[in-house]
Amino acid sequence: MADNIKVTIDNITIEVPMGTTILEAARKIGGDVAPPTMCYYSKLKGSGGKCRTCLVEVSKGSEKDPRPMPKLVASCRTGVMDGMEVKSMTSEKVIDARKGVTEFLLLNHPLDCPVCDQAGECDLQNLGYDHGNAGTRYDYDRRAFEPEDIGPYIQLHMNRCIMCFRCVFTADQLTDTREHGILDRGDHARISTCISKALDNDFIGNVIDVCPVGALTDKTFRFKNRVWFTKPVDAHRNCSNPKCCGEVRLWMRGEEVFRVTARKDEWGEVANASNGETGWICNECRFEKKETKDWVIEGPTKVNRHSVIAQGHYAGKVGTAKQPVLIDKVIGKAPKLTLDIHDVSGVNKPSYHLDQIEGPAHSDDFK
Amino acid sequence: MKLLLENAHIEGIRYYEAYRKHGGYRSVEKALKMTPDEIVEEVKKSGLRGRGGAGFPTGMKWSFLAKPEGVPRHLVCNADESEPGTFKDRYLMEFLPHLLIEGLIVSSFALGSNATYIYIRGEYAWIPDILEQAIAEAKNNGWLGKNIQNSGFDCEIYVQRGGGAYICGEETALIESLEGKRGNPRIKPPFPAVQGLWMRPTVVNNVETLAAVVPIINMGGEEYGKLGVGRSTGTKLMSACGNLNKPGVYEIPFDLTVEEFIFSDEYCGGIPNGKRLKACIPGGSSVPILPANLLLKDAKGNTRQMNYESLAEGGFATGSMLGSGGFIVLDEDQCVVRHTMSLARFYNHESCGQCSPCREGTGWMYKILKSIEYGKGRMEDIDLLWDIQRRIEGNTICPLGDAAAWPVAAAIRHFRDEFEWHVLHPEEAQTRNYGLAHYADPREVVAG
């Protein structure tokens, strides 16, 4: 591929097409090299840049202009250049900035995880475990909002919101009319419907899937179960809505279907359906079909994220990685999850082993 | 030497007849005989730097403007002057509206903008009327509209009122607001010079910058470039306020010393009631505050002058910035903690809420400063404040995060024992409204 360019992230070089963002390139490498994201969502146009958890240090701008970038940059919105060198988890500055952002995000978060339906699959929880401190240095009242009812399906907990704007983008891009948006500004900005009282669009249920925290949760699942007690099962049905792919994930306990969500990929985003398009699902599939007879069961989901749901049953890439090599590359920090670069890079050939290469791996080594 | 405010004292200069009689619109006549590229070249030669705060060379900014075939370009005048302590643009627009219009016509011609916008802050409620009247007068006399002075160039100027948000002074937030959206800064790149207003190439300039184009064209870029010191060319409007005998808007040459600006009768006339100088924010609320000893002379002992380089001498450790020219002076009775708290409250209120460090961090800093000011602070709070500002600075989408972090950082850096005094004397801190006088300049200064 002629227009591929080389980019080095945490001493690992890969080739990506021109126009790729640093974050997407890092995700190709995978593991902890990929910066955490709270607001960026690859399936939503215009998302990203807001939460600042994906900040990385660019230590070399490009082959042509090797100057480092003066500030940390948001990797989700910065494109790669040929010969760019990026430090993600190998940079003390980045780790410190992420710690700061995590603290800021948790500042006004109620930390009501014990009663939150998102607990166990919450991006903020994961971020807190990875980059947060044990205690808080904030000893003032946390921000609180008046509860607001936004319809029969979706529960809004504004106190938990971290203002990622994902739900606004989702409603904008998936549905014809958007009934909610951001009101006010600064630390009292909030998600609200303003005029219309309910979110009742056919596809509005997808805002639950994109919400990184428990601000938007499923009312039909509210307080019914904890996600780690339910077992994810892939299933599909012939949905009458032409825009709905009908491919879902059922969260079951015994024979009972507790919850229906879209299928998610390893980055916690709604995965592509078999027709190649993003697998958004309609409200009918999500909220109405809660019987096993409604669905054709495909089998249990392979879980490979480090959420509590995945406890004890990692599948696929995890565990097969060449641990010592990667640890060496990321200056002694043991990544919790490491992936084999051969699994994820479309360019590199899988017949090479990383531990046979001296020094930082480079795409030349894989020819 | 005055370039912008030379005619400000003339009666009726706000109206077209008087303005034209005193040499108004000469620069348009001259510019229309030149090519747009020649005008950009003149501005480049003049070394004019953006007067809105960052001091980026205007000619260079103009030359970055993308010029794709068949896509309209826009010039936007940033009159959303909301920085606490800065009010120079208001003076200019209120008393010399035609100077701005004239600068806008020349700049529009140079940049090829047929629709030019003035985005003015909502609180300046009476100024849009003045500007609109000036635009109507200019139009009636053939300086705006179709085929200006038979040159074949069309230009319209529209005045847009803002809703009163500080953040809309940031150029991409201003563009969003102008498009009718929520005034959230965009994530750069793409820069406005490539995709700005309605995704078209756009230049956003400050009022004073655009007004300064008029003398540049009249006297030639090279002549203009000879004025001033080093890379600070021309003249600058300063809005002085605080504990001064004669606060107001002054046009200064860049070789003026800070001491002369504060104490001479020609300018601010010294500090009232025989008080001594304690500290000063030389360029609008977001630049670092400087104590008296570092303000008049820099750390190397050189006399500080009122220009971009001299005020920035020593970096943020011992220097500050010229910024937008909002010169705020504090006398020996003023409390730096209280002052910093009120700035933190401002930035907390004005944060747009888009990115997390600024949204959460500004509120946190305000709460800590408030507790210190009201005698509930702890020693570790001072270090915590330092830590918070460090993690906001540079990690946000737009410069508002930096603007919120710098004043807090500088206050702790230079006035740490005033913070400590507040922590150690909680009861006194609650009842009295002033800080430690021992930072004040020890010279005897007699009230003017």
Side-chain angles (χ1 to χ4, degrees):
Chain A
M1 285 182 269
D3 24 31
N4 272 359
I5 53 173
K6 282 176 192 162
V7 53
T8 307
I9 303 172
D10 282 349
N11 301 330
I12 301 170
T13 304
I14 58 159
E15 289 190 14
V16 290
M18 192 77 192
T20 313
T21 59
I22 297 174
L23 185 89
E24 289 298 333
R27 280 186 174 183
K28 279 197 168 177
I29 295 172
D32 278 4
V33 170
T37 52
M38 301 304 286
C39 66
Y40 174 76
Y41 209 79
S42 62
K43 311 285 160 46
L44 296 172
K45 237 178 99 188
S47 69
K50 297 180 170 57
C51 69
R52 317 306 282 180
T53 53
C54 70
L55 292 173
V56 292
E57 184 183 343
V58 178
S59 50
K60 181 183 169 192
S62 69
E63 209 59 68
K64 274 188 200 145
D65 182 7
R67 285 175 304 171
M69 291 192 184
K71 291 187 200 172
L72 302 183
V73 297
S75 58
C76 60
R77 294 291 289 260
T78 311
V80 294
M81 307 287 277
D82 194 20
M84 186 184 257
E85 282 174 20
V86 179
K87 288 179 178 175
S88 172
M89 66 175 292
T90 50
S91 163
E92 295 296 328
K93 243 166 100 187
V94 169
I95 299 295
D96 182 64
R98 270 183 209 159
K99 244 186 152 146
V101 172
T102 309
E103 187 172 26
F104 288 135
L105 286 175
L106 290 170
L107 214 57
N108 278 305
H109 193 76
L111 288 177
D112 55 349
C113 310
V115 294
C116 175
D117 282 325
Q118 189 84 3
E121 50 175 27
C122 173
D123 289 353
L124 188 58
Q125 226 174 12
N126 294 343
L127 185 74
Y129 279 116
D130 287 351
H131 297 284
N133 293 326
T136 178
R137 299 188 285 176
Y138 184 74
D139 34 33
Y140 305 95
D141 288 342
R142 282 163 198 258
R143 175 181 61 217
F145 294 91
E146 289 292 310
E148 190 178 336
D149 188 8
I150 56 166
Y153 291 132
I154 301 167
Q155 180 70 38
L156 173 66
H157 286 277
M158 197 47 226
N159 291 348
R160 295 174 186 157
C161 180
I162 59 161
M163 283 287 147
C164 69
F165 286 61
R166 276 184 192 172
C167 60
V168 181
F169 286 117
T170 309
D172 245 352
Q173 291 167 27
L174 250 58
T175 61
D176 297 332
T177 54
R178 166 159 72 85
E179 294 110 347
H180 77 293
I182 311 277
L183 297 188
D184 295 339
R185 71 169 179 224
D187 54 9
H188 47 281
R190 64 182 202 272
I191 302 283
S192 178
T193 53
C194 192
I195 298 165
S196 160
K197 287 286 168 229
L199 303 182
D200 49 8
N201 223 298
D202 266 356
F203 279 83
I204 202 68
N206 287 299
V207 297
I208 298 167
D209 281 344
V210 301
C211 185
V213 292
L216 295 163
T217 50
D218 188 340
K219 261 191 189 172
T220 62
F221 179 61
R222 201 169 182 224
F223 303 144
K224 292 263 167 62
N225 219 319
R226 306 309 316 232
V227 290
W228 56 88
F229 292 140
T230 57
K231 189 180 163 201
V233 174
D234 286 353
H236 65 266
R237 69 184 273 268
N238 230 344
C239 184
S240 54
N241 193 321
K243 273 166 77 184
C244 173
C245 70
E247 295 172 18
V248 301
R249 188 159 291 168
L250 306 178
W251 297 79
M252 302 175 64
R253 196 168 177 182
E255 286 302 295
E256 202 179 340
V257 177
F258 273 91
R259 183 170 71 135
V260 184
T261 67
R263 293 183 192 176
K264 295 195 180 173
D265 61 15
E266 57 181 317
W267 309 112
E269 297 179 0
V270 172
N272 282 347
S274 50
N275 61 6
E277 285 175 23
T278 312
W280 307 112
I281 58 168
C282 67
N283 284 2
E284 191 190 342
C285 287
R286 184 186 299 271
F287 300 118
E288 314 282 343
K289 305 292 178 192
K290 294 276 178 104
E291 306 273 340
T292 38
K293 65 176 176 6
D294 297 327
W295 299 96
V296 181
I297 308 276
E298 293 170 16
T301 305
K302 284 182 178 172
V303 183
N304 53 15
R305 279 284 278 175
H306 50 296
S307 63
V308 285
I309 308 159
Q311 287 299 324
H313 40 106
Y314 290 125
K317 298 153 187 170
V318 183
T320 60
K322 310 287 176 291
Q323 290 263 7
V325 177
L326 262 177
I327 287 172
D328 182 43
K329 287 189 197 315
V330 294
I331 51 170
K333 290 197 189 69
K336 266 192 318 311
L337 255 191
T338 46
L339 303 184
D340 192 329
I341 186 173
H342 305 133
D343 285 350
V344 284
S345 169
V347 182
N348 302 330
K349 289 175 191 160
S351 54
Y352 288 85
H353 285 288
L354 276 181
D355 49 5
Q356 287 164 1
I357 300 161
E358 278 184 30
H362 189 272
S363 55
D364 285 343
D365 296 326
F366 299 99
K367 290 227 169 89
Chain B
M1 180 178 183
K2 286 182 179 175
L3 297 175
L4 301 176
L5 304 184
E6 197 184 357
N7 294 333
H9 62 281
I10 295 168
E11 208 184 325
I13 196 77
R14 187 190 280 182
Y15 303 103
Y16 178 77
E17 284 76 26
Y19 185 76
R20 177 73 176 144
K21 213 172 95 192
H22 289 89
Y25 291 98
R26 261 191 309 141
S27 70
V28 182
E29 286 170 339
K30 196 173 166 190
L32 291 175
K33 294 193 190 96
M34 300 159 76
T35 67
D37 288 342
E38 279 169 7
I39 302 174
V40 175
E41 204 47 49
E42 284 298 313
V43 174
K44 260 190 184 168
K45 264 192 262 173
S46 74
L48 175 68
R49 292 171 70 176
R51 302 289 197 236
F56 191 81
T58 307
M60 208 191 288
K61 191 175 192 173
W62 286 10
S63 62
F64 287 156
L65 185 70
K67 292 178 177 163
E69 268 311 301
V71 181
R73 302 185 285 272
H74 292 291
L75 171 67
V76 179
C77 170
N78 184 349
D80 192 86
E81 178 186 52
S82 324
E83 182 106 336
T86 309
F87 45 88
K88 63 183 175 68
D89 294 345
R90 185 190 80 190
Y91 186 89
L92 204 65
M93 290 187 287
E94 194 169 348
F95 295 101
L96 291 158
H98 279 286
L99 184 67
L100 174 62
I101 306 296
E102 187 178 346
L104 277 171
I105 298 168
V106 175
S107 310
S108 301
F109 180 64
L111 298 168
S113 159
N114 301 116
T116 296
Y117 297 85
I118 302 173
Y119 185 93
I120 188 161
R121 78 182 277 213
E123 287 92 333
Y124 287 172
W126 66 103
I127 296 180
D129 297 338
I130 298 172
L131 289 173
E132 266 162 2
Q133 194 197 349
I135 290 169
E137 282 177 341
K139 210 168 173 176
N140 287 340
N141 290 284
W143 299 103
L144 277 174
K146 293 255 178 258
N147 193 12
I148 296 169
Q149 304 289 317
N150 297 319
S151 65
F153 174 64
D154 307 334
C155 183
E156 289 287 351
I157 298 177
Y158 304 95
V159 181
Q160 175 64 44
R161 292 164 207 236
Y166 175 65
I167 190 65
C168 290
E170 201 276 341
E171 58 178 0
T172 52
L174 187 151
I175 288 170
E176 287 277 296
S177 174
L178 203 51
E179 287 180 6
K181 298 179 194 153
R182 200 183 144 80
N184 278 355
R186 290 179 186 168
I187 294 147
K188 292 182 255 185
F191 288 91
V194 181
Q195 287 185 342
L197 189 60
W198 296 301
M199 291 298 145
R200 296 163 180 173
T202 305
V203 166
V204 183
N205 274 137
N206 179 261
V207 171
E208 192 192 339
T209 317
L210 291 165
V213 172
V214 175
I216 289 173
I217 297 302
N218 279 339
M219 65 199 287
E222 218 149 302
E223 280 298 305
Y224 187 90
K226 282 179 192 158
L227 302 169
V229 184
R231 288 179 60 235
S232 308
T233 57
T235 59
K236 173 93 183 81
L237 294 186
M238 295 297 289
S239 50
C241 61
N243 301 111
L244 290 168
N245 275 324
K246 297 197 301 180
V249 177
Y250 296 96
E251 183 167 5
I252 57 154
F254 278 120
D255 55 3
L256 186 72
T257 63
V258 176
E259 188 171 348
E260 197 184 341
F261 183 66
I262 298 176
F263 294 108
S264 80
D265 282 337
E266 193 188 341
Y267 296 102
C268 301
I271 295 172
N273 308 325
K275 297 286 183 189
R276 293 171 300 166
L277 172 69
K278 177 178 180 181
C280 169
I281 302 177
S285 67
S286 53
V287 310
I289 188 170
L290 282 182
N293 58 340
L294 285 173
L295 176 70
L296 304 178
K297 284 195 163 79
D298 64 26
K300 289 181 196 148
N302 302 321
T303 309
R304 258 193 223 279
Q305 292 176 331
M306 304 283 284
N307 60 48
Y308 291 98
E309 287 80 22
S310 181
L311 281 171
E313 181 64 45
F316 278 3
T318 57
S320 184
M321 280 167 81
L322 180 64
S324 59
F327 198 81
I328 308 171
V329 173
L330 277 65
D331 74 15
E332 59 186 300
D333 285 351
Q334 303 307 316
C335 172
V336 171
V337 178
R338 192 173 182 80
H339 173 83
T340 312
M341 179 195 82
S342 93
L343 290 183
R345 181 175 58 198
F346 172 79
Y347 288 110
N348 175 32
H349 181 69
E350 296 294 346
S351 169
C352 79
Q354 203 182 191
C355 63
S356 25
C358 175
R359 178 185 64 231
E360 308 290 351
T362 51
W364 194 7
M365 290 200 300
Y366 167 53
K367 282 175 185 158
I368 293 173
L369 282 162
K370 196 172 159 190
S371 76
I372 295 177
E373 166 64 16
Y374 289 101
K376 297 188 185 76
R378 296 166 307 190
M379 272 306 174
E380 60 263 34
D381 282 347
I382 303 170
D383 293 324
L384 180 58
L385 264 180
W386 184 265
D387 214 36
I388 300 169
Q389 70 80 19
R390 183 174 64 80
R391 281 172 166 171
I392 297 175
E393 193 211 332
N395 290 345
T396 52
I397 295 176
C398 79
L400 195 141
D402 301 343
W406 290 340
V408 176
I412 298 175
R413 189 183 292 125
H414 299 305
F415 298 92
R416 195 179 174 106
D417 56 346
E418 191 152 328
F419 283 84
E420 288 172 357
W421 182 86
H422 270 260
V423 174
L424 294 172
H425 303 85
E427 274 169 33
E428 225 176 320
Q430 274 184 49
T431 49
R432 74 175 221 180
N433 194 6
Y434 49 91
L436 301 177
H438 72 244
Y439 284 106
D441 180 20
R443 292 176 317 160
E444 286 299 312
V445 179
V446 183

